[in-house]
């Protein structure tokens, strides 16, 4: 090889080396840029998640405040809504993924009786039996509640529980006389939790029953008042769990 050719070849190799190291620099700089993007994305995602959690917390606080306002009128029930909610969430968990961990479920349970804000005190606290007319008015509280809640976007699926919490599996409930699977599952779960709490707390006209007795009474109504599958889920939870839930709320 001539000296000229060698020099030319050497020059070519040098150029290629220079081009290669330039490419390497570009690649390294691109990689750093990508890493920065990834870090920014992670940070944005984290902030979004925190914001969503904060929003969820304030929703929950608002719903609790609303639920407490409804309950404050009724001296006898005390923390009924909170206990029913906790019982209902426990039963819902036993039913598996169908209801999942949806927060709207909790909101629906907490607000089930919100329609009672429209029922006059004279009816709500009447010591004696209600007249037919008063009973008819009282029976409107699920519809009124559903109307109140309907316009609030984050409570959209809570409407089901509010509207259907007095339906019965055999179709004998109100306001729509729905039966069996026609009743939203969340409302079927609520019905069991509601009666459990009613039976296991003192009322002016009778003392509280132990959970074992309440369990027998609920099981007897499986297939009539209650969805058998929900009763089964309820019966898979032991007394101690319910007692623990109630004790934590008092
Ligand atoms: Fe109710």
């Amino acid at each position: 090889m001539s000296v000229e050719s060698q020099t030319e070849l050497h020059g070519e190799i040098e150029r290629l080396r220079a081009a290669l190291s330039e490419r390497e620099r570009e690649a390294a700089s691109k990689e750093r840029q990508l890493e920065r993007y990834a870090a920014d994305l992670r940070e944005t995602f984290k902030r979004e998640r925190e914001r969503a959690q904060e929003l969820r917390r304030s929703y929950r606080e608002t719903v609790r405040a609303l639920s407490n306002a409804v309950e404050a009128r009724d001296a006898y029930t005390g923390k009924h809504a909170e206990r029913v909610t906790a019982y209902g969430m426990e039963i819902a968990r036993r039913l598996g993924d169908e209801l999942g961990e949806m927060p709207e479920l909790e909101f629906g349970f907490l607000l089930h009786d919100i329609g009672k804000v429209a029922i006059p005190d004279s009816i709500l606290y009447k010591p004696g039996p209600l007249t037919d007319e008063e009973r008819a008015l009282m029976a409107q509280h699920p519809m009124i509640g559903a109307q109140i809640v309907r316009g609030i976007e984050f409570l959209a699926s809570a409407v089901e529980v509010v509207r259907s919490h007095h339906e019965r599996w055999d179709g004998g409930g109100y306001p729509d006389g729905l039966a069996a699977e026609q009743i939203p599952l969340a409302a079927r779960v609520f019905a069991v939790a509601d009666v459990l709490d009613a039976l296991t707390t003192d009322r002016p006209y009778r003392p509280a029953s132990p959970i074992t007795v309440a369990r027998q009474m609920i099981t007897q109504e499986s297939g009539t008042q209650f969805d058998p599958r929900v009763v089964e889920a309820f019966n898979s939870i032991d007394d101690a769990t319910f007692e623990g839930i109630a004790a934590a709320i008092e």
Side-chain angles (χ1 to χ4, degrees):
M1 193 181 274
S2 68
V3 175
E4 288 84 10
S5 315
Q6 270 187 3
T7 317
E8 214 169 286
L9 186 62
H10 189 71
E12 182 62 20
I13 289 171
E14 278 309 305
R15 267 194 303 282
L16 285 172
R17 271 205 189 117
L20 186 66
S21 68
E22 176 60 23
R23 291 261 158 80
E24 274 169 357
R25 264 198 302 279
E26 279 173 17
S29 135
K30 284 230 170 75
E31 202 180 314
R32 277 196 301 277
Q33 205 172 25
L34 280 174
E35 271 165 13
R36 274 198 301 275
Y37 286 155
D40 281 355
L41 267 177
R42 271 197 298 273
E43 186 54 31
T44 308
F45 180 70
K46 199 176 130 219
R47 270 203 306 270
E48 280 304 315
R49 204 172 41 193
E50 279 165 5
R51 252 201 293 272
Q53 280 167 351
E54 210 175 283
L55 197 61
R56 179 64 57 205
R57 256 199 307 278
S58 51
Y59 280 165
R60 185 171 284 126
E61 280 163 18
T62 308
V63 169
R64 281 193 189 281
L66 213 52
S67 150
N68 288 340
V70 176
E71 294 235 300
R73 290 180 72 204
D74 195 340
Y76 296 127
T77 54
K79 300 215 164 187
H80 168 71
E82 278 203 43
R83 278 193 308 269
V84 167
T85 300
Y87 294 158
M89 296 301 280
E90 188 63 39
I91 299 169
R93 267 192 287 276
R94 302 299 167 116
L95 282 169
D97 288 340
E98 242 171 303
L99 290 168
E101 291 282 317
M102 54 185 263
E104 292 81 3
L105 185 65
E106 189 182 358
F107 296 163
F109 289 165
L110 278 167
L111 295 176
H112 65 281
D113 265 345
I114 192 166
K116 282 192 179 166
V117 295
I119 309 296
D121 286 0
S122 58
I123 298 178
L124 211 52
Y125 305 129
K126 191 172 171 184
L130 300 178
T131 65
D132 287 350
E133 205 180 313
E134 288 165 341
R135 212 190 324 275
L137 187 64
M138 186 71 166
Q140 281 180 19
H141 79 268
M143 304 273 273
I144 297 166
Q147 276 159 16
I148 293 172
V149 167
R150 186 167 292 133
I152 307 166
E153 202 187 322
F154 81 91
L155 293 176
S157 56
V159 176
E160 289 185 342
V161 177
V162 175
R163 182 173 179 122
S164 302
H165 73 275
H166 284 292
E167 299 289 354
R168 288 172 55 104
W169 180 254
D170 61 11
Y174 64 94
D176 300 302
L178 302 177
E181 311 274 339
Q182 290 177 322
I183 308 166
L185 180 57
R188 284 181 259 150
V189 168
F190 177 85
V192 171
D194 190 30
V195 170
L196 173 66
D197 187 57
L199 292 172
T200 53
T201 46
D202 285 321
R203 292 295 152 101
Y205 44 90
R206 55 141 182 81
S209 300
I211 290 183
T212 328
V213 176
R215 197 184 285 284
Q216 282 165 5
M217 292 166 92
I218 288 168
T219 307
Q220 268 167 19
E221 293 293 333
S222 172
T224 49
Q225 187 173 355
F226 307 119
D227 176 355
R229 205 158 55 91
V230 175
V231 174
E232 204 180 302
F234 158 68
N235 276 329
S236 76
I237 304 164
D238 58 16
D239 292 5
T241 303
F242 287 120
E243 280 158 2
I245 290 171
I249 288 168
E250 264 165 27

